[in-house]
Amino acid sequence: MGLDELKSAIPDYAKDLRLNLGSVIGGSTLSRQQLWGTVLVCAIASRSRAVLAALAPRAKAELSPEAYTAARTAAAVMAVNNVFFRTRHLLSDPEYGTLRAGLRMNVIGNPGVEKIDFELWSLAVSAINGCGACLDSHEQVLRRAGVDRETIQEAFKIASVIQAVGTTLDAEAVLEE
């Protein structure tokens, strides 16, 4: 299943999602690497088998092997970081913020692709996983690097649509049983 089949699988009651999916991918202002890396990390973070199966092959074709690996790495490291830092942020005891994390995340310093792209992908995963602390951190790094708000918003717009498509298709699969 590719992008067209994925759009066709979206039920009519969620027609806006079908249109949004087409526009956030087809009309994106991101570079090809930024776009398809964002699509891939969001498909992974959505935890939807249908979405990942539909979008990963195209992402693999559009990305260099290094970027494809780096995007998968971003999804993996942010799966850890989003839970850890979101929890630390939500706990009312500020002392947790002073404790050493003790988690390996060396890849963030040397991701194998442009740092801006990796940060954009990390922000998109953080949007799906709802980690405000991570969102703030990645947004600040991107802004300090000169990335405009429109580009940053493009990444979390893609995240929101891919997550919604995954949620809808997964619900439909259960409801049709």
Side-chain angles (χ1 to χ4, degrees):
M1 177 185 331
L3 179 58
D4 289 335
E5 293 84 7
L6 182 64
K7 290 191 306 189
S8 294
I10 298 169
D12 287 339
Y13 71 79
K15 177 183 171 188
D16 287 341
L17 291 181
R18 187 180 313 126
L19 297 171
N20 286 333
L21 184 61
S23 68
V24 298
I25 293 176
S28 178
T29 59
L30 299 178
S31 72
R32 191 172 90 198
Q33 178 167 294
Q34 289 171 342
L35 170 64
W36 286 102
T38 302
V39 168
L40 180 60
V41 298
C42 292
I44 293 169
S46 77
R47 298 176 189 88
S48 171
R49 183 177 178 82
V51 168
L52 184 57
L55 297 176
R58 174 81 182 271
K60 187 172 188 176
E62 296 286 346
L63 295 168
S64 69
E66 297 81 13
Y68 184 73
T69 298
R72 291 165 51 209
T73 302
V77 75
M78 294 317 296
V80 172
N81 287 355
N82 290 159
V83 172
F84 180 82
F85 289 106
R86 180 181 64 232
T87 302
R88 193 158 80 170
H89 174 77
L90 292 173
L91 289 170
S92 61
D93 184 348
E95 290 298 312
Y96 288 103
T98 67
L99 300 176
R100 183 177 171 277
L103 297 171
R104 291 184 54 91
M105 51 189 99
N106 295 338
V107 71
I108 293 173
N110 186 16
V113 293
E114 295 278 335
K115 180 106 169 100
I116 286 174
D117 294 354
F118 195 84
E119 289 290 333
L120 201 62
W121 301 339
S122 297
L123 179 130
V125 173
S126 298
I128 288 174
N129 291 333
C131 181
C134 295
L135 282 165
D136 281 343
S137 175
H138 295 293
E139 190 264 350
Q140 289 169 13
V141 170
L142 288 163
R143 294 291 292 144
R144 281 195 301 269
V147 178
D148 60 38
R149 287 178 180 88
E150 291 78 12
T151 299
I152 294 168
Q153 179 170 289
E154 189 80 17
F156 65 81
K157 192 163 60 170
I158 292 167
S160 67
V161 171
I162 289 176
Q163 175 64 21
V165 169
T167 299
T168 301
L169 293 180
D170 289 354
E172 282 301 304
V174 171
L175 294 171
E176 290 176 356
E177 290 179 354

